[in-house]
Amino acid sequence: DTGVSQNPRHKITKRGQNVTFRCDPISEHNRLYWYRQTLGQGPEFLTYFQNEAQLEKSRLLSDRFSAERPKGSFSTLEIQRTEQGDSAMYLCASSLALKPGNTIYFGEGSWLTVV
Amino acid sequence: DQQVKQNSPSLSVQEGRISILNCDYTNSMFDYFLWYKKYPAEGPTFLISISSIKDKNEDGRFTVFLNKSAKHLSLHIVPSQPGDSAVYFCAASGGGSQGNLIFGKGTKLSVKP
């Protein structure tokens, strides 16, 4: 399967702990995105990379959130000192920037529950 | 301020009939629109898209219509099948941001046998 891969799929953590999610994009895609989705809402943009450069960050991305894509391939999203409000599905997606329009393909998501 | 709005949280349709899902947007700079389908506990799956230079795009049972003057798009599914039951999200890109999609809140479609 050459789709976007995310792990872990589910994570339950205690408030105050750090968590890290990993995303492996579609191999030829140079753009990688992180979104967050909560119940009853559409996905909300967090940040995106083109190759290894982080080009845009949403104001939703507080100081406790950090994303990296060190070699322009896989990416990690770390949440420090988790809060109950961080409970959500974290979605990774990728696209080919030069493709007309900007069709973004999503992974299956990583569920985070903060207790 | 929601730039992409899906005003119907849910829609119920009989199998074999047409499903019409609607979406409105406010930012006239949006130049590309997409529809995604989402099953519970899975990521969104891309369905169909349309550029702002077109007013219709068709792919099998799915057709998207764009009315730029009304800032409105719709997704038609004909004929509807029970497997189409899912949440459908409208999304838009452009509008000054090069890197991301703005999503609506989704419409839950139920297709009854």
Side-chain angles (χ1 to χ4, degrees), chain B residues 44-104:
Chain B
T45 302
F46 170 71
L47 268 179
I48 191 168
S49 62
I50 188 167
S51 164
S52 60
I53 62 173
K54 296 186 176 181
D55 55 19
K56 177 182 174 181
N57 188 26
E58 191 171 354
D59 184 1
R61 297 186 297 115
F62 302 92
T63 303
V64 56
F65 296 91
L66 175 62
N67 182 334
K68 280 188 296 182
S69 61
K71 295 192 180 70
H72 178 83
L73 64 155
S74 60
L75 174 68
H76 292 210
I77 306 173
V78 183
S80 301
Q81 299 173 354
D84 296 328
S85 297
V87 178
Y88 289 78
F89 290 98
C90 170
S93 71
S97 173
Q98 294 295 313
N100 76 85
L101 298 177
I102 309 296
F103 283 83

Side-chain angles (χ1 to χ4, degrees), chain A residues 9 31 33 35 37 40-43 45 48 56 89 91 100-108 111, chain B residues 2 32 34 36 38 41-46 49 89 93 97-106:
Chain A
R9 293 291 316 279
R31 283 195 176 179
Y33 309 79
Y35 284 77
Q37 185 173 20
Q41 301 294 321
F45 170 76
Y48 93 96
E56 191 172 343
M89 175 182 263
L91 291 161
N102 197 19
T103 300
I104 295 177
Y105 297 90
F106 286 85
E108 294 195 337
W111 276 106
Chain B
Q2 264 197 291
Y32 194 61
L34 307 90
Y36 288 83
K38 187 178 184 299
E42 294 185 8
T45 302
F46 170 71
S49 62
F89 290 98
S93 71
S97 173
Q98 294 295 313
N100 76 85
L101 298 177
I102 309 296
F103 283 83
K105 292 188 175 185

Side-chain angles (χ1 to χ4, degrees), chain A residues 75-89:
Chain A
S75 175
T76 57
L77 176 69
E78 181 183 19
I79 309 173
Q80 296 181 325
R81 305 182 303 282
T82 52
E83 302 173 356
Q84 287 187 320
D86 297 332
S87 296
M89 175 182 263

Side-chain angles (χ1 to χ4, degrees), chain A residues 17-88:
Chain A
Q17 298 294 305
N18 299 345
V19 297
T20 299
F21 299 110
R22 174 180 169 127
C23 172
D24 290 89
I26 293 170
S27 58
E28 65 268 26
H29 284 181
N30 56 355
R31 283 195 176 179
L32 185 148
Y33 309 79
W34 286 99
Y35 284 77
R36 180 176 71 184
Q37 185 173 20
T38 53
L39 280 175
Q41 301 294 321
E44 296 172 296
F45 170 76
L46 293 178
T47 188
Y48 93 96
F49 295 82
Q50 181 152 319
N51 301 313
E52 64 272 13
Q54 189 172 17
L55 295 188
E56 191 172 343
K57 291 195 285 188
S58 160
R59 63 178 183 273
L60 292 176
L61 208 68
S62 77
D63 291 345
R64 296 184 296 105
F65 287 70
S66 63
E68 295 183 345
R69 195 183 183 198
K71 297 181 180 178
S73 56
F74 74 92
S75 175
T76 57
L77 176 69
E78 181 183 19
I79 309 173
Q80 296 181 325
R81 305 182 303 282
T82 52
E83 302 173 356
Q84 287 187 320
D86 297 332
S87 296

